[in-house]
Protein backbone atom coordinates (compact mmCIF):
# COMPACT_ATOMS: atom_id res chain seq x y z
CA UNK A 1 0.00 0.00 0.00
CA UNK A 2 1.29 3.48 -0.88
CA UNK A 3 1.88 6.14 1.73
CA UNK A 4 2.15 9.89 1.34
CA UNK A 5 5.58 11.50 1.46
CA UNK A 6 5.83 14.45 3.79
CA UNK A 7 8.84 16.05 2.13
CA UNK A 8 10.04 16.04 -1.44
CA UNK A 9 12.06 18.31 -3.68
CA UNK A 10 10.87 19.86 -6.92
CA UNK A 11 13.60 17.94 -8.74
CA UNK A 12 12.37 14.67 -7.24
CA UNK A 13 8.83 15.29 -8.51
CA UNK A 14 10.14 16.36 -11.92
CA UNK A 15 12.19 13.15 -12.10
CA UNK A 16 9.04 11.12 -11.50
CA UNK A 17 7.24 13.10 -14.23
CA UNK A 18 10.16 12.48 -16.58
CA UNK A 19 10.24 8.75 -15.85
CA UNK A 20 6.50 8.27 -16.30
CA UNK A 21 6.47 10.44 -19.45
CA UNK A 22 9.20 8.27 -20.99
CA UNK A 23 7.08 5.22 -20.12
CA UNK A 24 4.23 6.75 -22.15
CA UNK A 25 1.94 7.89 -19.33
CA UNK A 26 -0.34 10.83 -20.10
CA UNK A 27 -0.09 13.92 -17.85
CA UNK A 28 -3.52 13.32 -16.24
CA UNK A 29 -2.53 9.77 -15.27
CA UNK A 30 0.84 10.99 -13.98
CA UNK A 31 -0.92 13.59 -11.83
CA UNK A 32 -3.34 11.01 -10.39
CA UNK A 33 -0.46 8.73 -9.46
CA UNK A 34 1.62 11.51 -7.97
CA UNK A 35 -1.20 12.90 -5.83
CA UNK A 36 -1.44 9.54 -4.06
CA UNK A 37 2.21 9.88 -3.02
CA UNK A 38 2.90 13.62 -2.82
CA UNK A 39 -0.57 14.83 -1.84
CA UNK A 40 -2.07 18.07 -3.05
CA UNK A 41 1.39 19.65 -3.40
CA UNK A 42 1.40 18.09 -6.85
CA UNK A 43 -0.24 20.61 -9.21
CA UNK A 44 -1.87 19.34 -12.42
CA UNK A 45 -0.68 22.27 -14.57
CA UNK A 46 2.90 21.76 -13.44
CA UNK A 47 2.74 18.07 -14.33
CA UNK A 48 1.41 18.93 -17.80
CA UNK A 49 4.04 21.64 -18.37
CA UNK A 50 6.96 19.39 -17.42
CA UNK A 51 5.56 16.37 -19.23
CA UNK A 52 5.32 18.49 -22.39
CA UNK A 53 8.91 19.68 -21.92
CA UNK A 54 10.19 16.12 -21.55
CA UNK A 55 8.21 14.97 -24.60
CA UNK A 56 9.85 17.81 -26.54
CA UNK A 57 13.28 16.41 -25.68
CA UNK A 58 14.24 18.12 -22.46
CA UNK A 59 16.34 15.93 -20.19
CA UNK A 60 17.24 18.16 -17.25
CA UNK A 61 14.95 18.35 -14.23
CA UNK A 62 16.69 21.48 -12.95
CA UNK A 63 15.61 25.09 -13.25
CA UNK A 64 16.83 27.27 -16.08
CA UNK A 65 18.51 29.82 -13.81
CA UNK A 66 21.65 29.92 -15.94
CA UNK A 67 19.61 31.04 -18.94
CA UNK A 68 17.72 33.60 -16.85
CA UNK A 69 20.96 35.00 -15.46
CA UNK A 70 22.46 35.26 -18.93
CA UNK A 71 19.34 37.00 -20.22
CA UNK A 72 19.40 39.40 -17.27
CA UNK A 73 23.03 40.29 -18.01
CA UNK A 74 22.24 40.86 -21.69
CA UNK A 75 19.40 43.19 -20.76
CA UNK A 76 21.55 45.07 -18.24
CA UNK A 77 24.37 45.55 -20.75
CA UNK A 78 22.03 47.17 -23.29
CA UNK A 79 20.91 49.87 -20.86
Amino acid sequence: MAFALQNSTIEEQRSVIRFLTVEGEKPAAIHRRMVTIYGEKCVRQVVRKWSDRFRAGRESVGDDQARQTLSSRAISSTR
Side-chain angles (χ1 to χ4, degrees):
M1 181 172 154
F3 61 93
L5 295 175
Q6 297 300 315
N7 297 308
S8 66
T9 64
I10 292 169
E11 289 82 6
E12 177 184 342
Q13 289 191 25
R14 289 176 187 167
S15 294
V16 172
I17 295 167
R18 180 178 177 219
F19 176 81
L20 294 173
T21 298
V22 170
E23 282 200 329
E25 289 278 349
K26 296 192 182 328
I30 294 171
H31 180 260
R32 277 193 304 274
R33 291 178 70 178
M34 290 182 69
V35 166
T36 63
I37 302 299
Y38 297 106
E40 294 303 318
K41 293 183 240 175
C42 181
V43 180
R44 182 182 301 264
Q45 291 86 356
V46 173
V47 172
R48 176 166 297 285
K49 175 178 83 172
W50 280 93
S51 182
D52 289 347
R53 288 179 177 183
F54 294 130
R55 278 193 178 86
R58 182 182 176 115
E59 294 188 7
S60 170
V61 296
D63 288 327
D64 291 336
Q65 288 182 335
R67 289 184 197 170
Q68 292 171 357
T69 302
L70 182 59
S71 297
S72 299
R73 287 184 195 151
I75 291 169
S76 297
S77 67
T78 59
R79 291 184 182 166

